[in-house]
């Protein structure tokens, strides 16, 4: 069965957030990078970031695994 457009869009947004987070962590380090910085750089709302990654630890762990 084909994936729904919504599911595909959600996966693309998650990937975009991770790619942006990796860049931001690379530029500013883990300690200085805020979730708001990542959301702004990814051009998404702060709430959208937390819909995909409930905590900063989840985002950091996923970014490290992706890298």
């Amino acid at each position: 069965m084909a994936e729904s457009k919504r599911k595909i869009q959600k996966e693309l947004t998650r990937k975009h957030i991770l790619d942006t987070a990796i860049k931001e962590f690379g530029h500013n380090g883990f300690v200085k990078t805020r979730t708001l910085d990542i959301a702004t750089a990814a051009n998404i709302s702060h709430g959208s970031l937390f819909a995909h990654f409930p905590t900063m630890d989840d985002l950091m762990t996923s970014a490290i695994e992706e890298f």
Side-chain angles (χ1 to χ4, degrees):
M1 179 179 246
E3 289 185 271
S4 71
K5 288 182 183 180
R6 177 69 186 127
K7 185 175 180 180
I8 293 168
Q9 183 60 44
K10 189 173 182 177
E11 289 172 5
L12 289 173
T13 300
R14 181 180 168 86
K15 175 75 169 124
H16 177 62
I17 293 168
L18 278 176
D19 291 345
T20 303
I22 290 167
K23 288 178 188 171
E24 291 296 308
F25 291 142
H27 289 286
N28 304 315
F30 285 109
V31 175
K32 290 186 179 180
T33 302
R34 302 174 303 156
T35 54
L36 183 59
D37 300 329
I38 296 167
T40 301
N43 200 30
I44 62 166
S45 72
H46 201 204
S48 290
L49 186 143
F50 285 108
H52 292 275
F53 301 97
T55 68
M56 181 61 134
D57 286 342
D58 291 334
L59 179 56
M60 288 170 141
T61 300
S62 294
I64 291 167
E65 289 172 355
E66 180 75 15
F67 184 74

